Amino acid sequence: MAEYKDPENTIIMETSKGRVVIELFPDTAPNHVARIKELSRENFYDGIVFHRVIDGFMAQTGDPTGTGTGGSDKPDLQSEFSNLGHVRGTCSMARAQNPHSANSQFFICFEDAPFLNRQYSVWGQVVEGMDVVDQIKRGEPVRDPDSITTMRVAADL
């Protein structure tokens, strides 16, 4: 088992393309981090596809329906916007028009996306495996999409 700075705040996401390690930001987005960990511990993300993947922008996942319209059965979260920028590898919550509508869907930025800053809740950063994220199949929707095989909190492994 690899050594992680803070295993309780590290996510290990195994995908159909390989392993991605995400460092969580509990000080920045405590409720979003708690939700990601809660859903990971319930195996919610296992088998969920990357349904919206835009080259040069981001890869979105976390919808059990695979359509971009679904979420978990948990209540939506209040926004936790911060001054953290959306840069390559940023993990941030997807939402509808309502800023307080984030639930289970999230995206990983391929490139810097400053126009998203302070409008979406940043909850983590890819610290290992961006080369894996880069290989995720593109599309809106994606034909024969890549998926999350398992998503776990490192402390539980």
Side-chain angles (χ1 to χ4, degrees):
M1 184 67 206
E3 289 294 315
Y4 300 108
K5 189 169 69 181
D6 180 0
E8 182 56 37
N9 287 299
T10 303
I11 291 288
I12 310 300
M13 183 172 68
E14 296 288 352
T15 73
S16 48
K17 292 290 196 234
R19 172 176 283 194
V20 178
V21 179
I22 301 167
E23 180 182 323
L24 301 175
F25 299 153
D27 295 341
T28 303
N31 296 321
H32 288 73
V33 165
R35 173 66 55 85
I36 292 290
K37 288 172 22 175
E38 178 183 24
L39 291 173
S40 295
R41 287 185 159 127
E42 292 172 1
N43 301 344
F44 174 85
Y45 290 109
D46 296 9
I48 290 184
V49 301
F50 288 89
H51 65 272
R52 181 171 178 246
V53 185
I54 303 170
D55 199 41
F57 181 31
M58 57 89 218
Q60 188 168 328
T61 185
D63 174 8
T65 71
T67 63
T69 60
S72 75
D73 58 5
K74 301 178 188 321
D76 289 348
L77 296 164
Q78 289 292 306
S79 66
E80 293 178 304
F81 301 157
S82 69
N83 288 323
L84 286 181
H86 285 75
V87 297
R88 178 170 164 76
T90 293
C91 300
S92 190
M93 289 306 265
R95 61 171 176 81
Q97 286 298 112
N98 180 339
H100 309 298
S101 61
N103 185 289
S104 65
Q105 292 190 48
F106 66 90
F107 59 90
I108 302 172
C109 294
F110 290 124
E111 305 291 340
D112 295 0
F115 56 93
L116 299 176
N117 293 352
R118 290 177 295 286
Q119 296 181 58
Y120 292 83
S121 300
V122 174
W123 55 265
Q125 178 72 32
V126 173
V127 292
E128 192 180 303
M130 263 315 285
D131 57 323
V132 172
V133 176
D134 288 337
Q135 295 171 45
I136 294 170
K137 198 177 299 173
R138 291 358 186 213
E140 284 187 273
V142 185
R143 189 182 305 218
D144 188 27
D146 287 304
S147 63
I148 297 172
T149 313
T150 60
M151 190 158 142
R152 300 288 182 268
V153 177
D156 300 341
L157 297 175

